Amino acid sequence: MPVILGIESSCDDTSAAVSVDGVIMSNVVANQSIHAAYGGVVPELASRVHQQNIIPAVQQALINAKVSKNDIDAVAFTRGPGLLGSLLVGVSFAKAFALAQNLPLIEVNHMQAHVLAHFIDEPKPKFPFMCLTVSGGHTQIILVKDYFDMEIIGQTMDDAAGEAMDKTSKILGLPYPGGPLIDKHARLGDREAFKFPEPNIPNYDFSFSGLKTSILYFIRDNVAANPDFLTNRMDDICASVEYRIVTILLNKLKKAALAYGIKDIALAGGVSANTGLRQGLTELCQKMNWNCFIPQFQYCTDNAGMIAIAGHYKYLNNDFVGQNVAPLARMPFN
Ligand code: KG4
Ligand code: ZN
């Protein structure tokens, strides 16, 4: 019954979680509100807040899981990809904790962990399955052959889906992070109100930069004609933009799943918290007779629960790293 302490600090959320025999017993996430004033994550500020949050987050995770630090069998941490200064805080904490408690260390790839969040709750997808991972920094269609055998078959050539959400919200004058606010407004609007273009990108890759530019010009022209345009039509704009982002994602996912003959379809990453995307994928899976897997909200956005679960499966494989491990801003899968 391995007890794993998971640590996540790749961007602006400090998180600690405990898994016992592959079951998540606690998942504490300390968000950083400081970045809202700057319209995006300020890396230096993120590192400093991680330093303040990491010990209280771990203490709370141990309390919530009703375990003591002496019960822990291994420490799993996000090695990358992410902001180097942010990663450094989590990696340094994990190394110090492991050294003090004489425990093995397990490195985890943040993007693989988003996929492995599907092994936290039932029902679990069966290998091979296809996962659309959509976060603030990544948009990937992944063919998941085994826990740590994943192939990226499509990805964004420029902005990530979350970045497209956040940049659109910035154009609309909404505070950071904009994804959840677009979601909120979109629920009240008409998704057919405005038509935004779908890019023509080969294979299973994505591009969102053209969409961003078209939104920018659309808003500029309409605000010039009517200064109240944004106030009057905010819900319809958000609904239409969200709908286009969702259709871009789902059209590619459908194409990939059909080409590879996969019927277990999963969604991961922060943008999978989006209501329109969750509904859209659920409807697509019903129509195609596919099995649809969408994690609970708390395991969609950045969290240490997914790090602990990835750590659990690596622990079973005896896959450990030494104290000389360093964080990686960019980190390939294998
Ligand atoms: O996976 P994540 O928490 O962090 C990264 O690894 O990037 O993803 C964060 C992204 C942000 O771009 C945020 O705006 C977006 O997920 N997001 C959403 C929603 N909740 C978070 N986008 C749309 N609708 C949401 N409800
Ligand atoms: Zn993430």
Side-chain angles (χ1 to χ4, degrees), residues 296-314:
Q296 280 184 52
F297 280 101
Q298 63 164 328
Y299 301 125
C300 288
T301 46
D302 287 350
N303 68 91
M306 67 185 193
I307 307 302
I309 209 77
H312 172 78
Y313 288 104
K314 284 203 164 186

Side-chain angles (χ1 to χ4, degrees), residues 207-250:
S207 166
F208 290 100
S209 66
L211 176 65
K212 181 187 66 191
T213 309
S214 79
I215 294 167
L216 189 66
Y217 290 158
F218 168 84
I219 299 296
R220 186 196 62 186
D221 295 349
N222 279 283
V223 169
N226 170 13
D228 295 328
F229 178 69
L230 273 183
T231 328
N232 293 346
R233 305 299 301 274
M234 184 62 90
D235 296 341
D236 288 341
I237 300 166
C238 288
S240 303
V241 169
E242 183 196 270
Y243 183 57
R244 176 48 79 214
I245 293 174
V246 168
T247 50
I248 292 172
L249 293 169
L250 293 184

Side-chain angles (χ1 to χ4, degrees), residues 8 10-11 110-111 114 133 135-138 269-270 300-303 306:
E8 156 63 32
S10 64
C11 190
H110 179 88
M111 299 312 296
H114 270 301
T133 308
S135 72
H138 294 81
C300 288
T301 46
D302 287 350
N303 68 91
M306 67 185 193

Side-chain angles (χ1 to χ4, degrees), residues 34-43 170 176:
I34 192 164
H35 306 288
Y38 301 92
V41 176
V42 184
K170 204 168 186 176
Y176 177 87

Side-chain angles (χ1 to χ4, degrees), residues 13 110 114 134-137 162-163 165-166 177-180 183 269-271 273-275 300-302:
D13 295 311
H110 179 88
H114 270 301
V134 273
S135 72
E163 220 172 336
M165 294 274 187
D166 295 337
D183 192 342
V271 184
N274 180 265
T275 313
C300 288
T301 46
D302 287 350

